Structures are given as structure tokens and as C-alpha cells.
Amino acid sequence: MTTIAYLGPAGTYSEIAALRYLQLIYPDLEPDSSRMIPYSTIPQAIDAAERGQVEVAVVPVENSIQGGVTMTLDSLWQSESLQIQQAIVLPIAHALISCAQNLEDIQTVYSHPQSLAQCQRWLERHLPKARQIATDSNTDRLHQVAEDATLAAIASKYAAEIYSLPILNFPINDRPDNCTRFLVLGRTAPTTQGTHSSLAFSLDRNMPGALVKTLSVFAERQINLSRIESRPTKRSLGEYIFFIDIEAPIADPNLDEALEELKNVTENLKILGSYAIAVDDIAIVT
Ligand SMILES: O=C(O)C(=O)C[C@]1(C(=O)O)C=C[C@@H](O)C=C1
């Protein structure tokens, strides 16, 4: 059975996405966490898959409110062997978890920066005086929250359930349609037939119109792009890596031709994978 790295400790949305992945690849088995290994940060989980300590890592890549998860994008660009095996989109409904009797008793709220940002307006309205402390994951401080009624954490209902902690408010995300896309990353090519592909490339900054040239390679062939996002190369100001999602499998001859042409107009081109997307309206554990 597949071993999976995810952002821990137990109870994160990444764990829920990993359980969903197990359900997709072993539809006849009850998904269980025994082959899932929690890591403290997203780069550590990705690194474990890159080194072969686990078969795959399940990591968040994009949220509908906050956009790209930069740590994941940077690790993907640096990776030498990982391919996207599968994408999973999950609804994200946050709970305010605390042993406090009233909101007024809460002095500190812990959560991952993405989750704090997804609840920003609710926090400003209901907990204007509480300190917001960013943590490596949503479930990082749940043991402390269990022992001190002045503390709260933002995490899933599933997390509250597995740590046996009370939920003070639910849902507290600013938008009801909040959702996050997760990627399953592994060293082998995916076994299922892909529907989408992802690429990343850097450009020669001295080539005028370089970005337009890359985009017209797709436009000329009627290939639909569903996302374009940039990250700094970190070499110098004004140099970027572009991440592109394409609504076509890599085996599509039209895309194959486009990729050949793309090699001439990019400095460094990486094919990140061709994969299927599972979109869930309701998470298996909400
Ligand atoms: O997996 C988790 O629970 C996390 O803490 C990470 C994370 C993220 O980085 O986007 C995952 C999903 C939600 O969008 C909020 C936080």
C-alpha cells in the first residue's frame, strides 16, 4: 500500500486530502491513516517524496481566496524528480476551536497563515483584540488549545473531532465557497489517464515579448490555459518563473507540438505532470 507524506500533525486539511487520495486509488478499502506520515512543513513533506522516503506527498497548491501556496510552487520548481499524479479540490470550512466559554475570553488565535487570511474579516469583526499567531499548520497548537481556555485555533471540524475539542463557531471562513486544490506528488508517472497538464518555465529577460511568444504557442493551437502564476526566480529582481495549467493531457498531439515550440522560446522548461482532477463538493470528513 502507498505511503503518503502530508503536512501534519494529524487533523489538517492536507490529511483529509490524503485520505481522499487513498479512496481514489483503493476504492474498495476503508481509507485509514496508518500509511500516512505527518511532516512539520510543506517543503519537508515534498522532500520526503523526492528522496523516496514515501511514495507520494499530498500538498496544498492553491486556495480560491488566497491564491497560490508559494512554498509548494517553489518546491515544485526545485524538484528534480517529482511529477503531479493527481489533483484534488476540497471545500474548506473552518471552525474556531477553543475551550473558552465566550469569544471575549479568547486572547490568542493560532493557525496556518492561509487559514488566518481566509477568515480575516470574521476575525476582525468577532475577535478584534485577539493576537493572531501564524503556525506551520492548522493543527500545530491544538494540544495547547486543549489546556488553556484563552487560546483558540482555526482548523477543520475533523481536527476538533480527533483531538476531542469543542467548536465555538462554525463556519468562520469569509466566503462560503472557500476551496483549496491539493496536488499528489510522486516520482513515477501517474497510472490514471490525465485530463490536465502543468508546466513551469523561466524566460530569457533579454528576449523582447518572450511571455507573449510563449502564450501564443497555446493560443494558435486553441489550447485552453486554466491558470498562469508567477514566482520570482530569486536570482535577481524582475526575473520570474511562470506556472501554467493546461486543459489537455500531455499525450494530446496538439500539446506535444506546442511543447516542442515552447522549448525555443523559454530559457528553462519543466513539465510538472499530466493528471486527473477530483473535485469534491463535500469533503469525506467535514
Ligand atoms: O493542511 C492544512 O490544514 C494546512 O494547514 C495548510 C492549508 C494551506 O496551506 O492552504 C491547507 C488548506 C487550507 O487552505 C488552509 C491551510
Side-chain angles (χ1 to χ4, degrees):
M1 232 202 186
T2 304
T3 47
I4 305 181
Y6 72 97
L7 174 66
T12 57
Y13 293 101
S14 303
E15 186 194 355
I16 298 174
L19 287 167
R20 180 74 183 100
Y21 178 60
L22 283 179
Q23 222 178 36
L24 287 170
I25 58 170
Y26 304 115
D28 300 329
L29 297 179
E30 194 60 35
D32 85 275
S33 301
S34 60
R35 307 291 299 236
M36 300 192 346
I37 304 161
Y39 285 81
S40 310
T41 64
I42 293 170
Q44 278 174 26
I46 295 178
D47 200 48
E50 175 101 39
R51 288 163 184 260
Q53 288 162 349
V54 290
E55 267 153 83
V56 295
V58 176
V59 289
V61 67
E62 186 184 16
N63 172 261
S64 56
I65 299 177
Q66 280 306 299
V69 179
T70 53
M71 269 185 268
T72 299
L73 294 174
D74 291 349
S75 298
L76 256 179
W77 177 251
Q78 275 148 24
S79 159
E80 276 162 22
S81 60
L82 293 177
Q83 288 276 304
I84 304 171
Q85 314 281 309
Q86 171 82 44
I88 296 170
V89 179
L90 292 184
I92 304 289
H94 291 301
L96 185 76
I97 301 172
S98 177
C99 298
Q101 294 298 318
N102 307 296
L103 287 177
E104 294 73 51
D105 301 335
I106 296 172
Q107 291 169 13
T108 307
V109 182
Y110 296 111
S111 205
H112 188 276
Q114 284 268 347
S115 306
L116 289 170
Q118 290 160 24
C119 304
Q120 207 41 238
R121 272 185 291 143
W122 189 93
L123 289 170
E124 275 160 25
R125 194 168 318 140
H126 297 96
L127 290 172
K129 295 202 187 108
R131 272 192 316 158
Q132 295 175 22
I133 299 190
T135 52
D136 282 332
S137 90
N138 291 326
T139 50
D140 244 10
R141 303 295 178 90
L142 286 180
H143 288 300
Q144 277 164 263
V145 168
E147 282 162 13
D148 184 342
T150 68
L151 307 180
I154 296 173
S156 65
K157 268 188 167 179
Y158 170 61
E161 204 176 286
I162 61 174
Y163 290 82
S164 304
L165 285 169
I167 292 174
L168 213 54
N169 274 80
F170 175 85
I172 63 161
N173 27 290
D174 294 333
R175 290 191 57 101
D177 46 4
N178 187 25
C179 58
T180 296
R181 187 156 54 97
F182 294 84
L183 296 179
V184 180
L185 305 173
R187 281 160 303 140
T188 53
T191 43
T192 51
Q193 175 71 35
T195 53
H196 286 64
S197 307
S198 294
L199 312 175
F201 53 79
S202 58
L203 297 172
D204 177 353
R205 61 184 298 177
N206 298 316
M207 185 194 278
L211 183 58
V212 174
K213 283 184 187 142
T214 59
L215 296 181
S216 30
V217 165
F218 299 108
E220 280 160 12
R221 293 175 177 81
Q222 311 291 317
I223 298 171
N224 212 19
L225 306 182
S226 53
R227 182 177 69 123
I228 175 159
E229 181 156 0
S230 67
R231 289 287 301 145
T233 60
K234 302 181 180 34
R235 289 191 303 226
S236 73
L237 203 62
E239 279 190 32
Y240 300 96
I241 297 148
F242 294 91
F243 290 84
I244 282 189
D245 289 352
I246 300 162
E247 290 180 351
I250 219 87
D252 185 328
N254 208 13
L255 181 56
D256 196 45
E257 203 185 278
L259 292 178
E260 274 311 308
E261 204 179 313
L262 209 60
K263 284 182 195 155
N264 303 325
V265 286
T266 54
E267 183 194 52
N268 192 353
L269 171 68
K270 256 186 174 181
I271 296 168
L272 302 175
S274 188
Y275 51 89
I277 305 184
V279 181
D280 280 16
D281 290 334
I282 304 162
I284 45 170
V285 244
T286 48

